[in-house]
Every structure is written in C-alpha cells, then in structure tokens.
Amino acid sequence: MYLPSDTDMLLSILNMKLRDLDISFDELCEEEDLDAGEITEKLLSAGYSYDRKHNCFS
C-alpha cells in the first residue's frame, strides 16, 4: 500500500482503511507489510495518536 509523505493525507488514508476494512491498526500493518512504529512515530510528531477503543488516529 502506498503511504503519502503528507501527514494529513496519511492520517486520512489510514483512518479510511481502518474504518472500511474494519480491522485494527496492527492487523492493517501486518496485512499491508507496513512499519507500525514508523507510522505511529510520524503521526505522533504531528499530534495524532491511535485510539484502540475507536480504532482510529485522532
């Protein structure tokens, strides 16, 4: 899966995938061979964090 370098676009795409596929962030990363730590760190530096209860970054 292509991930944009723009943080807001990354946030939007990840939340859309999490919602539409109804899977957790960990499952998405595993299925798409994504580096969860790298993504989390990038979004955290922009003020976003993963909310497991709501299954989204906010």
Side-chain angles (χ1 to χ4, degrees):
M1 173 169 71
Y2 167 76
L3 293 178
S5 58
D6 178 78
T7 307
D8 292 326
M9 289 299 297
L10 176 62
L11 174 74
S12 179
I13 288 172
L14 285 174
N15 280 339
M16 178 189 68
K17 290 277 191 184
L18 292 171
R19 180 189 66 238
D20 291 352
L21 299 175
D22 194 30
I23 59 177
S24 72
F25 177 59
D26 291 332
E27 291 171 320
L28 177 65
C29 289
E30 186 176 314
E31 284 185 17
E32 299 290 339
D33 195 29
L34 302 172
D35 185 334
E38 182 180 321
I39 293 169
T40 301
E41 193 174 301
K42 181 171 184 162
L43 291 174
L44 191 58
S45 72
Y48 300 109
S49 62
Y50 180 63
D51 179 345
R52 288 188 188 279
K53 181 179 177 184
H54 294 105
N55 194 33
C56 68
F57 283 88
S58 56

Short mmCIF file of all heavy atoms in Angstrom, two decimals:
data_model
loop_
_atom_site.label_atom_id
_atom_site.label_comp_id
_atom_site.label_asym_id
_atom_site.label_seq_id
_atom_site.Cartn_x
_atom_site.Cartn_y
_atom_site.Cartn_z
N MET A 1 0.86 -1.17 0.00
CA MET A 1 0.00 0.00 0.00
C MET A 1 0.90 1.23 0.00
O MET A 1 1.86 1.32 0.76
CB MET A 1 -0.90 0.00 1.24
CG MET A 1 -1.71 1.26 1.40
SD MET A 1 -3.02 1.21 2.65
CE MET A 1 -2.11 1.22 4.15
N TYR A 2 0.57 2.18 -0.85
CA TYR A 2 1.30 3.44 -0.91
C TYR A 2 0.87 4.33 0.25
O TYR A 2 -0.33 4.49 0.50
CB TYR A 2 1.02 4.16 -2.24
CG TYR A 2 1.48 5.59 -2.22
CD1 TYR A 2 2.83 5.90 -2.35
CD2 TYR A 2 0.58 6.62 -2.04
CE1 TYR A 2 3.28 7.20 -2.30
CE2 TYR A 2 1.02 7.95 -2.00
CZ TYR A 2 2.35 8.22 -2.14
OH TYR A 2 2.79 9.52 -2.09
N LEU A 3 1.83 4.89 0.96
CA LEU A 3 1.53 5.84 2.03
C LEU A 3 2.14 7.19 1.68
O LEU A 3 3.33 7.28 1.40
CB LEU A 3 2.10 5.34 3.36
CG LEU A 3 1.46 4.09 3.92
CD1 LEU A 3 2.14 3.69 5.22
CD2 LEU A 3 -0.02 4.27 4.15
N PRO A 4 1.33 8.23 1.68
CA PRO A 4 1.83 9.56 1.34
C PRO A 4 2.76 10.11 2.42
O PRO A 4 2.67 9.73 3.58
CB PRO A 4 0.56 10.40 1.23
CG PRO A 4 -0.43 9.69 2.07
CD PRO A 4 -0.09 8.24 2.00
N SER A 5 3.62 11.01 2.02
CA SER A 5 4.53 11.64 2.98
C SER A 5 3.83 12.75 3.76
O SER A 5 4.24 13.09 4.87
CB SER A 5 5.77 12.18 2.29
OG SER A 5 5.41 13.10 1.30
N ASP A 6 2.76 13.31 3.20
CA ASP A 6 1.99 14.36 3.87
C ASP A 6 1.24 13.75 5.05
O ASP A 6 0.48 12.79 4.89
CB ASP A 6 1.01 14.99 2.88
CG ASP A 6 0.16 16.06 3.53
OD1 ASP A 6 0.67 17.17 3.74
OD2 ASP A 6 -1.01 15.75 3.87
N THR A 7 1.46 14.30 6.23
CA THR A 7 0.88 13.74 7.46
C THR A 7 -0.65 13.72 7.44
O THR A 7 -1.26 12.73 7.85
CB THR A 7 1.37 14.54 8.68
OG1 THR A 7 2.79 14.58 8.66
CG2 THR A 7 0.92 13.89 9.97
N ASP A 8 -1.27 14.79 6.97
CA ASP A 8 -2.73 14.83 6.96
C ASP A 8 -3.32 13.81 5.99
O ASP A 8 -4.35 13.19 6.27
CB ASP A 8 -3.23 16.23 6.62
CG ASP A 8 -2.92 17.23 7.73
OD1 ASP A 8 -2.96 16.83 8.91
OD2 ASP A 8 -2.64 18.40 7.42
N MET A 9 -2.66 13.63 4.86
CA MET A 9 -3.13 12.61 3.89
C MET A 9 -2.92 11.21 4.47
O MET A 9 -3.78 10.34 4.32
CB MET A 9 -2.39 12.75 2.56
CG MET A 9 -2.78 13.98 1.77
SD MET A 9 -4.54 14.01 1.33
CE MET A 9 -4.66 12.58 0.30
N LEU A 10 -1.81 11.00 5.14
CA LEU A 10 -1.53 9.72 5.78
C LEU A 10 -2.61 9.42 6.81
O LEU A 10 -3.16 8.31 6.84
CB LEU A 10 -0.15 9.75 6.44
CG LEU A 10 0.25 8.52 7.24
CD1 LEU A 10 0.31 7.29 6.37
CD2 LEU A 10 1.60 8.76 7.93
N LEU A 11 -2.92 10.38 7.64
CA LEU A 11 -3.97 10.23 8.65
C LEU A 11 -5.29 9.85 8.00
O LEU A 11 -5.97 8.91 8.43
CB LEU A 11 -4.12 11.53 9.44
CG LEU A 11 -5.26 11.59 10.43
CD1 LEU A 11 -4.94 10.75 11.66
CD2 LEU A 11 -5.53 13.03 10.83
N SER A 12 -5.65 10.55 6.95
CA SER A 12 -6.91 10.31 6.26
C SER A 12 -6.98 8.91 5.66
O SER A 12 -7.97 8.20 5.83
CB SER A 12 -7.10 11.37 5.17
OG SER A 12 -8.29 11.15 4.47
N ILE A 13 -5.92 8.51 4.99
CA ILE A 13 -5.91 7.18 4.35
C ILE A 13 -5.95 6.07 5.39
O ILE A 13 -6.70 5.11 5.25
CB ILE A 13 -4.68 7.04 3.44
CG1 ILE A 13 -4.87 7.91 2.20
CG2 ILE A 13 -4.44 5.59 3.06
CD1 ILE A 13 -3.65 8.01 1.32
N LEU A 14 -5.17 6.20 6.45
CA LEU A 14 -5.16 5.16 7.49
C LEU A 14 -6.53 5.04 8.15
O LEU A 14 -7.05 3.93 8.32
CB LEU A 14 -4.10 5.46 8.55
CG LEU A 14 -2.66 5.19 8.13
CD1 LEU A 14 -1.71 5.64 9.22
CD2 LEU A 14 -2.45 3.72 7.81
N ASN A 15 -7.13 6.17 8.52
CA ASN A 15 -8.44 6.10 9.17
C ASN A 15 -9.50 5.55 8.23
O ASN A 15 -10.38 4.80 8.66
CB ASN A 15 -8.84 7.48 9.71
CG ASN A 15 -8.17 7.78 11.03
OD1 ASN A 15 -7.73 6.88 11.74
ND2 ASN A 15 -8.07 9.05 11.37
N MET A 16 -9.41 5.87 6.94
CA MET A 16 -10.36 5.33 5.97
C MET A 16 -10.21 3.81 5.88
O MET A 16 -11.19 3.07 5.91
CB MET A 16 -10.14 5.95 4.59
CG MET A 16 -11.07 5.39 3.53
SD MET A 16 -10.63 5.93 1.87
CE MET A 16 -9.07 5.08 1.63
N LYS A 17 -8.97 3.33 5.79
CA LYS A 17 -8.72 1.89 5.71
C LYS A 17 -9.19 1.17 6.98
O LYS A 17 -9.81 0.12 6.91
CB LYS A 17 -7.23 1.61 5.50
CG LYS A 17 -6.71 1.98 4.17
CD LYS A 17 -7.00 0.90 3.19
CE LYS A 17 -6.25 1.15 1.90
NZ LYS A 17 -6.59 0.15 0.89
N LEU A 18 -8.89 1.76 8.14
CA LEU A 18 -9.31 1.15 9.40
C LEU A 18 -10.83 1.04 9.48
O LEU A 18 -11.37 0.03 9.92
CB LEU A 18 -8.76 1.95 10.59
CG LEU A 18 -7.24 1.91 10.77
CD1 LEU A 18 -6.82 2.91 11.84
CD2 LEU A 18 -6.76 0.51 11.09
N ARG A 19 -11.50 2.07 9.04
CA ARG A 19 -12.96 2.09 9.07
C ARG A 19 -13.55 1.13 8.02
O ARG A 19 -14.39 0.30 8.34
CB ARG A 19 -13.46 3.51 8.81
CG ARG A 19 -14.98 3.64 8.82
CD ARG A 19 -15.47 5.00 8.36
NE ARG A 19 -15.14 5.17 6.94
CZ ARG A 19 -14.40 6.17 6.45
NH1 ARG A 19 -13.88 7.08 7.24
NH2 ARG A 19 -14.15 6.25 5.16
N ASP A 20 -13.10 1.25 6.79
CA ASP A 20 -13.70 0.47 5.70
C ASP A 20 -13.41 -1.01 5.80
O ASP A 20 -14.26 -1.84 5.47
CB ASP A 20 -13.23 0.99 4.34
CG ASP A 20 -13.77 2.37 4.01
OD1 ASP A 20 -14.64 2.88 4.76
OD2 ASP A 20 -13.32 2.94 2.99
N LEU A 21 -12.20 -1.37 6.24
CA LEU A 21 -11.84 -2.78 6.35
C LEU A 21 -12.23 -3.38 7.70
O LEU A 21 -12.19 -4.60 7.86
CB LEU A 21 -10.34 -2.96 6.11
CG LEU A 21 -9.83 -2.53 4.74
CD1 LEU A 21 -8.31 -2.65 4.68
CD2 LEU A 21 -10.49 -3.35 3.64
N ASP A 22 -12.57 -2.52 8.65
CA ASP A 22 -12.96 -2.94 10.00
C ASP A 22 -11.93 -3.88 10.62
O ASP A 22 -12.25 -4.97 11.08
CB ASP A 22 -14.35 -3.59 9.99
CG ASP A 22 -14.93 -3.72 11.38
OD1 ASP A 22 -14.61 -2.88 12.24
OD2 ASP A 22 -15.69 -4.69 11.62
N ILE A 23 -10.66 -3.44 10.57
CA ILE A 23 -9.57 -4.18 11.19
C ILE A 23 -8.77 -3.23 12.06
O ILE A 23 -8.87 -2.01 11.92
CB ILE A 23 -8.65 -4.85 10.14
CG1 ILE A 23 -8.04 -3.81 9.20
CG2 ILE A 23 -9.38 -5.93 9.38
CD1 ILE A 23 -7.05 -4.40 8.19
N SER A 24 -7.99 -3.79 12.96
CA SER A 24 -7.17 -2.96 13.85
C SER A 24 -5.96 -2.42 13.10
O SER A 24 -5.59 -2.92 12.03
CB SER A 24 -6.71 -3.77 15.06
OG SER A 24 -5.72 -4.71 14.67
N PHE A 25 -5.31 -1.44 13.69
CA PHE A 25 -4.11 -0.87 13.11
C PHE A 25 -3.02 -1.94 12.97
O PHE A 25 -2.34 -2.02 11.95
CB PHE A 25 -3.62 0.31 13.96
CG PHE A 25 -2.34 0.92 13.49
CD1 PHE A 25 -2.23 1.45 12.22
CD2 PHE A 25 -1.24 0.97 14.33
CE1 PHE A 25 -1.03 2.01 11.79
CE2 PHE A 25 -0.06 1.54 13.91
CZ PHE A 25 0.06 2.06 12.63
N ASP A 26 -2.86 -2.77 13.99
CA ASP A 26 -1.86 -3.84 13.94
C ASP A 26 -2.15 -4.81 12.80
O ASP A 26 -1.25 -5.23 12.08
CB ASP A 26 -1.80 -4.59 15.26
CG ASP A 26 -1.22 -3.74 16.39
OD1 ASP A 26 -0.41 -2.84 16.09
OD2 ASP A 26 -1.58 -3.98 17.54
N GLU A 27 -3.42 -5.17 12.62
CA GLU A 27 -3.81 -6.07 11.54
C GLU A 27 -3.55 -5.43 10.17
O GLU A 27 -3.06 -6.09 9.25
CB GLU A 27 -5.28 -6.46 11.64
CG GLU A 27 -5.59 -7.35 12.82
CD GLU A 27 -7.08 -7.53 13.04
OE1 GLU A 27 -7.85 -6.55 12.90
OE2 GLU A 27 -7.48 -8.67 13.37
N LEU A 28 -3.86 -4.15 10.05
CA LEU A 28 -3.63 -3.44 8.79
C LEU A 28 -2.14 -3.43 8.46
O LEU A 28 -1.75 -3.72 7.33
CB LEU A 28 -4.16 -2.01 8.88
CG LEU A 28 -3.92 -1.13 7.66
CD1 LEU A 28 -4.68 -1.66 6.45
CD2 LEU A 28 -4.31 0.31 7.95
N CYS A 29 -1.32 -3.13 9.45
CA CYS A 29 0.12 -3.10 9.23
C CYS A 29 0.65 -4.47 8.83
O CYS A 29 1.50 -4.58 7.94
CB CYS A 29 0.84 -2.59 10.47
SG CYS A 29 0.58 -0.82 10.75
N GLU A 30 0.13 -5.50 9.46
CA GLU A 30 0.57 -6.85 9.14
C GLU A 30 0.15 -7.23 7.73
O GLU A 30 0.95 -7.75 6.94
CB GLU A 30 -0.01 -7.85 10.15
CG GLU A 30 0.51 -9.25 9.96
CD GLU A 30 0.00 -10.19 11.04
OE1 GLU A 30 0.04 -9.82 12.22
OE2 GLU A 30 -0.43 -11.29 10.66
N GLU A 31 -1.09 -6.97 7.37
CA GLU A 31 -1.61 -7.32 6.05
C GLU A 31 -0.91 -6.55 4.94
O GLU A 31 -0.69 -7.08 3.85
CB GLU A 31 -3.12 -7.08 5.97
CG GLU A 31 -3.93 -8.11 6.68
CD GLU A 31 -5.43 -7.93 6.48
OE1 GLU A 31 -5.84 -7.20 5.55
OE2 GLU A 31 -6.18 -8.53 7.26
N GLU A 32 -0.59 -5.29 5.19
CA GLU A 32 -0.01 -4.43 4.15
C GLU A 32 1.51 -4.31 4.27
O GLU A 32 2.13 -3.55 3.53
CB GLU A 32 -0.64 -3.03 4.22
CG GLU A 32 -2.13 -3.00 3.99
CD GLU A 32 -2.52 -3.30 2.55
OE1 GLU A 32 -1.67 -3.16 1.64
OE2 GLU A 32 -3.68 -3.69 2.33
N ASP A 33 2.11 -5.06 5.19
CA ASP A 33 3.55 -5.05 5.43
C ASP A 33 4.05 -3.62 5.68
O ASP A 33 4.98 -3.13 5.03
CB ASP A 33 4.30 -5.68 4.26
CG ASP A 33 5.74 -6.01 4.61
OD1 ASP A 33 6.01 -6.29 5.79
OD2 ASP A 33 6.59 -5.97 3.70
N LEU A 34 3.41 -2.95 6.64
CA LEU A 34 3.74 -1.58 7.00
C LEU A 34 4.50 -1.57 8.32
O LEU A 34 4.30 -2.44 9.17
CB LEU A 34 2.47 -0.74 7.14
CG LEU A 34 1.56 -0.66 5.92
CD1 LEU A 34 0.26 0.04 6.28
CD2 LEU A 34 2.27 0.05 4.79
N ASP A 35 5.32 -0.58 8.52
CA ASP A 35 6.08 -0.41 9.75
C ASP A 35 5.23 0.40 10.74
O ASP A 35 5.16 1.63 10.64
CB ASP A 35 7.39 0.29 9.47
CG ASP A 35 8.30 0.40 10.68
OD1 ASP A 35 7.78 0.38 11.83
OD2 ASP A 35 9.50 0.50 10.49
N ALA A 36 4.56 -0.27 11.66
CA ALA A 36 3.65 0.38 12.61
C ALA A 36 4.38 1.43 13.44
O ALA A 36 3.84 2.51 13.70
CB ALA A 36 3.00 -0.65 13.51
N GLY A 37 5.59 1.13 13.86
CA GLY A 37 6.34 2.07 14.68
C GLY A 37 6.66 3.36 13.94
O GLY A 37 6.53 4.45 14.49
N GLU A 38 7.07 3.23 12.70
CA GLU A 38 7.40 4.40 11.88
C GLU A 38 6.16 5.27 11.64
O GLU A 38 6.23 6.50 11.77
CB GLU A 38 7.97 3.94 10.54
CG GLU A 38 8.40 5.06 9.63
CD GLU A 38 8.96 4.54 8.32
OE1 GLU A 38 9.67 3.51 8.33
OE2 GLU A 38 8.67 5.15 7.28
N ILE A 39 5.04 4.63 11.34
CA ILE A 39 3.79 5.37 11.11
C ILE A 39 3.34 6.06 12.38
O ILE A 39 2.99 7.24 12.38
CB ILE A 39 2.70 4.42 10.58
CG1 ILE A 39 3.07 3.92 9.19
CG2 ILE A 39 1.34 5.11 10.56
CD1 ILE A 39 2.20 2.78 8.70
N THR A 40 3.34 5.32 13.48
CA THR A 40 2.91 5.87 14.76
C THR A 40 3.79 7.06 15.16
O THR A 40 3.27 8.09 15.61
CB THR A 40 2.96 4.79 15.86
OG1 THR A 40 2.11 3.71 15.47
CG2 THR A 40 2.51 5.32 17.20
N GLU A 41 5.08 6.92 14.97
CA GLU A 41 6.02 7.99 15.32
C GLU A 41 5.76 9.24 14.47
O GLU A 41 5.74 10.36 14.99
CB GLU A 41 7.45 7.49 15.10
CG GLU A 41 8.51 8.37 15.70
CD GLU A 41 9.87 7.72 15.56
OE1 GLU A 41 10.05 6.60 16.09
OE2 GLU A 41 10.74 8.34 14.92
N LYS A 42 5.54 9.04 13.19
CA LYS A 42 5.28 10.18 12.30
C LYS A 42 4.00 10.91 12.69
O LYS A 42 3.96 12.13 12.77
CB LYS A 42 5.19 9.72 10.85
CG LYS A 42 4.94 10.85 9.89
CD LYS A 42 5.06 10.43 8.46
CE LYS A 42 4.89 11.67 7.59
NZ LYS A 42 5.38 11.47 6.26
N LEU A 43 2.94 10.15 12.96
CA LEU A 43 1.67 10.76 13.33
C LEU A 43 1.74 11.38 14.73
O LEU A 43 1.16 12.43 14.97
CB LEU A 43 0.53 9.75 13.22
CG LEU A 43 0.19 9.34 11.79
CD1 LEU A 43 -0.86 8.24 11.78
CD2 LEU A 43 -0.30 10.53 10.97
N LEU A 44 2.46 10.75 15.63
CA LEU A 44 2.62 11.29 16.97
C LEU A 44 3.35 12.63 16.94
O LEU A 44 2.98 13.56 17.67
CB LEU A 44 3.39 10.29 17.86
CG LEU A 44 3.42 10.57 19.34
CD1 LEU A 44 2.00 10.64 19.92
CD2 LEU A 44 4.20 9.48 20.05
N SER A 45 4.33 12.76 16.06
CA SER A 45 5.06 14.02 15.95
C SER A 45 4.17 15.15 15.43
O SER A 45 4.47 16.32 15.62
CB SER A 45 6.28 13.86 15.05
OG SER A 45 5.90 13.72 13.71
N ALA A 46 3.05 14.78 14.79
CA ALA A 46 2.10 15.78 14.29
C ALA A 46 0.93 15.96 15.26
O ALA A 46 -0.02 16.68 14.97
CB ALA A 46 1.59 15.37 12.92
N GLY A 47 0.99 15.26 16.40
CA GLY A 47 -0.04 15.42 17.42
C GLY A 47 -1.17 14.42 17.36
O GLY A 47 -2.18 14.57 18.05
N TYR A 48 -1.02 13.36 16.56
CA TYR A 48 -2.05 12.33 16.45
C TYR A 48 -1.62 11.06 17.16
O TYR A 48 -0.44 10.70 17.13
CB TYR A 48 -2.34 12.00 14.97
CG TYR A 48 -2.80 13.17 14.16
CD1 TYR A 48 -1.98 13.74 13.19
CD2 TYR A 48 -4.07 13.72 14.35
CE1 TYR A 48 -2.40 14.81 12.43
CE2 TYR A 48 -4.49 14.80 13.59
CZ TYR A 48 -3.67 15.34 12.63
OH TYR A 48 -4.09 16.40 11.88
N SER A 49 -2.56 10.37 17.76
CA SER A 49 -2.26 9.09 18.38
C SER A 49 -3.38 8.11 18.06
O SER A 49 -4.50 8.50 17.74
CB SER A 49 -2.09 9.23 19.89
OG SER A 49 -3.29 9.69 20.48
N TYR A 50 -3.06 6.82 18.17
CA TYR A 50 -4.03 5.77 17.85
C TYR A 50 -4.92 5.52 19.05
O TYR A 50 -4.46 5.32 20.17
CB TYR A 50 -3.31 4.49 17.45
CG TYR A 50 -4.24 3.36 17.10
CD1 TYR A 50 -5.10 3.45 16.02
CD2 TYR A 50 -4.26 2.19 17.85
CE1 TYR A 50 -5.96 2.42 15.69
CE2 TYR A 50 -5.11 1.15 17.53
CZ TYR A 50 -5.95 1.27 16.45
OH TYR A 50 -6.80 0.24 16.13
N ASP A 51 -6.21 5.52 18.82
CA ASP A 51 -7.22 5.25 19.84
C ASP A 51 -7.78 3.85 19.58
O ASP A 51 -8.57 3.66 18.66
CB ASP A 51 -8.32 6.31 19.76
CG ASP A 51 -9.43 6.11 20.78
OD1 ASP A 51 -9.53 5.02 21.38
OD2 ASP A 51 -10.22 7.05 20.96
N ARG A 52 -7.33 2.88 20.37
CA ARG A 52 -7.77 1.49 20.16
C ARG A 52 -9.28 1.32 20.33
O ARG A 52 -9.91 0.55 19.62
CB ARG A 52 -7.06 0.55 21.13
CG ARG A 52 -5.61 0.34 20.80
CD ARG A 52 -5.00 -0.76 21.68
NE ARG A 52 -3.57 -0.83 21.51
CZ ARG A 52 -2.97 -1.45 20.50
NH1 ARG A 52 -3.69 -2.03 19.58
NH2 ARG A 52 -1.65 -1.48 20.43
N LYS A 53 -9.84 2.04 21.27
CA LYS A 53 -11.28 1.92 21.53
C LYS A 53 -12.11 2.31 20.30
O LYS A 53 -13.09 1.65 19.98
CB LYS A 53 -11.68 2.80 22.73
CG LYS A 53 -13.14 2.71 23.08
CD LYS A 53 -13.46 3.57 24.29
CE LYS A 53 -14.96 3.50 24.56
NZ LYS A 53 -15.33 4.39 25.66
N HIS A 54 -11.70 3.38 19.63
CA HIS A 54 -12.44 3.85 18.47
C HIS A 54 -11.80 3.43 17.15
O HIS A 54 -12.32 3.75 16.08
CB HIS A 54 -12.57 5.39 18.52
CG HIS A 54 -13.41 5.83 19.66
ND1 HIS A 54 -12.86 6.39 20.80
CD2 HIS A 54 -14.75 5.78 19.87
CE1 HIS A 54 -13.82 6.67 21.65
NE2 HIS A 54 -14.98 6.31 21.12
N ASN A 55 -10.67 2.72 17.23
CA ASN A 55 -9.95 2.20 16.07
C ASN A 55 -9.66 3.29 15.03
O ASN A 55 -9.98 3.15 13.85
CB ASN A 55 -10.71 1.04 15.42
CG ASN A 55 -9.85 0.28 14.44
OD1 ASN A 55 -8.65 0.15 14.62
ND2 ASN A 55 -10.47 -0.21 13.37
N CYS A 56 -9.06 4.37 15.51
CA CYS A 56 -8.68 5.46 14.59
C CYS A 56 -7.57 6.29 15.21
O CYS A 56 -7.32 6.22 16.39
CB CYS A 56 -9.88 6.33 14.25
SG CYS A 56 -10.49 7.29 15.65
N PHE A 57 -6.94 7.07 14.35
CA PHE A 57 -5.99 8.04 14.81
C PHE A 57 -6.71 9.37 14.95
O PHE A 57 -7.54 9.72 14.12
CB PHE A 57 -4.84 8.20 13.80
CG PHE A 57 -3.84 7.10 13.85
CD1 PHE A 57 -4.00 5.95 13.10
CD2 PHE A 57 -2.72 7.20 14.66
CE1 PHE A 57 -3.08 4.93 13.15
CE2 PHE A 57 -1.78 6.18 14.72
CZ PHE A 57 -1.97 5.04 13.96
N SER A 58 -6.44 10.07 16.04
CA SER A 58 -7.07 11.37 16.23
C SER A 58 -6.14 12.29 17.00
O SER A 58 -5.15 11.87 17.54
CB SER A 58 -8.40 11.24 16.96
OG SER A 58 -8.23 10.58 18.19
#
